[in-house]
Amino acid sequence: MAAKLTATLAVLVATTANLVAAQKYPFMPTEWPSQDQNQFITGRLLEAPLILDGMKKVQAAVPENILALPVAEFHNYSNTTYPGCTPSELPAGMTVNLNSTQAQAACWWPSNNCIRTTATSYYQPDIVRCKGQNVWGLTYDDGPTVATADNVATRNITDILGRLGAKATFFVAGSAVSNAPGELRRAFSEGHEIAVHTWTHHPLTTLTNAQIVAEILYTEAKIYSILGVVPRFFRPPYGDVDDRVRGIISALGYLNVIWTTEPLNNLYRDTRDAEHVSSAADMASVVTEVEKWFVEQPGFISLEHDINPNTSTIAINLLSRIESMGPAFPLKLKPIGECYNIAPYMNVQPGQALPPLPEYRANPTDVASGALGTGVGVAVWRRVTVAVVAGLVAVMALV
Ligand SMILES: [Zn+2]
């Protein structure tokens, strides 16, 4: 009897430990950055255990001189002044010095589309093209967004992708995820890859090391609280990375994904769907330009957005053209993990099934829910409680 009891208790303890280990996200935040993307992440949000732990990983992995690379000056949107140039040297209205030697030394992407192609001790190569012939790495940034009666959004893009039998990678912003958790869950459940694109969408070279860590980890934690996975892929807003940012991305386990841009080969795979596009004619002209890509060619990665009804309309119109071409469409649409043969989530091994979705207070209108941040904790403890009660019942049956 005692042996049986001990064995039952051992199983109970192991089951409980497994349940906790399987779902626990260390240092889940109790407070989140603002949904207002104009706000920088500052103050006590940078002192949260999640961020302090992230900084420890960064400091252990990235050389001090790289972490000490100077921070760029932020103006607005993607406009920055990268260290090594003075604004007075620049033409009126231009804030980026394309020829800054410091920018080139640190391989600042916006300067000359500089990419790193080989790994070092502190960063992995940038991912900029899908492997293979005719492979189109399909990516949508800045969402998820909520569809309304009048406006298309993320789910309208995934609906047509579903009809095409195609998957994409969605680089989501933490602030947008907070606002549309149900949309994130929908895209993920349909088999699309979810990846990190910062919380506030500020250019990262303008942020301190701790702020960059916070941009990534708050978004990661929010995604985990909703989906139970930790993404592997990261895209910097505006492609704004230098070696300091690459080091931080890499130390946190991420791979840096930029869209294909090769000026020397006159190869640009930014659809420019978000630039000065406001009328139906603008949208149609973007579609006409991108249709020129519908030919056999080496693999590439495109940039599109599901950030607003205009960009989502462009995405849908492009996919509709592809749908109407049927088998005559010469390219294969793939998400990044698939075209690189890399598992898209850090906590899911290749070939392993995705974990069950954490408990989630479904809200059909997708209004942000303050309870989501603790959803995982609730799910874990409910399962642990079930396991403990089941164990006690077993024990009582024995005695
Ligand atoms: Zn973006």
Side-chain angles (χ1 to χ4, degrees), residues 30-369:
T30 52
E31 188 181 0
W32 299 90
S34 169
Q35 287 183 22
D36 176 358
Q37 292 194 348
N38 293 309
Q39 303 294 315
F40 287 86
I41 303 178
T42 57
R44 67 172 181 267
L45 285 166
L46 299 179
E47 301 296 323
L50 174 67
I51 309 311
L52 298 179
D53 181 65
M55 279 299 286
K56 262 192 227 162
K57 288 177 184 154
V58 166
Q59 281 154 355
V62 187
E64 265 178 50
N65 63 317
I66 298 297
L67 289 178
L69 283 172
V71 174
E73 188 185 345
F74 175 72
H75 301 289
N76 53 44
Y77 302 107
S78 63
N79 292 320
T80 66
T81 303
Y82 196 82
C85 65
T86 59
S88 60
E89 294 169 356
L90 302 173
M94 187 174 177
T95 50
V96 171
N97 183 349
L98 298 178
N99 299 311
S100 158
T101 48
Q102 256 178 281
Q104 291 184 21
C107 193
W108 184 47
W109 187 84
S111 160
N112 52 2
N113 305 123
C114 180
I115 55 164
R116 293 300 192 191
T117 55
T118 50
T120 66
S121 61
Y122 65 93
Y123 59 67
Q124 295 296 314
D126 298 326
I127 288 177
V128 294
R129 293 187 80 136
C130 273
K131 294 176 177 175
Q133 184 71 6
N134 298 330
V135 178
W136 178 343
L138 196 56
T139 72
Y140 299 94
D141 289 12
D142 302 353
T145 44
V146 182
T148 65
D150 301 321
N151 285 320
V152 291
T154 307
R155 65 171 55 204
N156 306 99
I157 296 173
T158 60
D159 280 350
I160 189 162
L161 285 171
R163 293 210 300 275
L164 287 166
K167 308 281 188 251
T169 301
F170 286 82
F171 289 91
V172 300
S175 49
V177 166
S178 300
N179 198 42
E183 297 304 318
L184 182 79
R185 211 167 160 94
R186 190 179 192 272
F188 174 77
S189 300
E190 290 173 5
H192 300 287
E193 292 178 1
I194 304 301
V196 171
H197 189 46
T198 75
W199 188 281
T200 69
H201 210 276
H202 280 100
L204 291 178
T205 60
T206 67
L207 304 182
T208 65
N209 297 332
Q211 283 178 313
I212 298 168
V213 168
E215 290 282 349
I216 297 170
L217 291 186
Y218 277 113
T219 306
E220 173 187 295
K222 180 59 79 176
I223 291 170
Y224 186 89
S225 74
I226 299 167
L227 303 180
V229 295
V230 177
R232 168 74 70 194
F233 300 115
F234 175 82
R235 175 170 283 162
Y238 318 110
D240 186 83
V241 281
D242 62 359
D243 285 346
R244 180 172 70 98
V245 177
R246 281 188 186 85
I248 295 171
I249 292 168
S250 206
L252 298 177
Y254 285 87
L255 295 170
N256 182 38
V257 182
I258 306 183
W259 53 96
T260 305
T261 306
E262 297 178 7
L264 290 177
N265 299 322
N266 199 26
L267 184 64
Y268 300 93
R269 289 294 179 256
D270 177 355
T271 58
R272 306 179 79 98
D273 59 350
E275 290 175 32
H276 315 297
V277 175
S278 52
S279 68
D282 292 341
M283 288 187 260
S285 79
V286 171
V287 171
T288 303
E289 279 305 304
V290 176
E291 274 184 303
K292 294 176 185 167
W293 306 352
F294 293 7
V295 293
E296 293 197 5
Q297 60 189 295
F300 64 91
I301 296 172
S302 66
L303 173 64
E304 294 182 67
H305 299 84
D306 54 333
I307 188 173
N308 63 44
N310 286 358
T311 61
S312 295
T313 298
I314 289 169
I316 289 161
N317 289 347
L318 280 168
L319 293 170
S320 297
R321 299 290 175 97
I322 291 169
E323 190 177 31
S324 67
M325 284 178 77
F329 179 67
L331 306 174
K332 289 164 277 190
L333 303 172
K334 288 193 178 180
I336 299 302
E338 220 174 282
C339 82
Y340 261 78
N341 202 20
I342 296 173
Y345 305 111
M346 294 191 210
N347 59 333
V348 185
Q349 300 310 308
Q352 192 185 353
L354 291 171
L357 282 171
E359 184 167 313
Y360 172 68
R361 207 180 63 184
N363 183 337
T365 56
D366 294 326
V367 172
S369 160

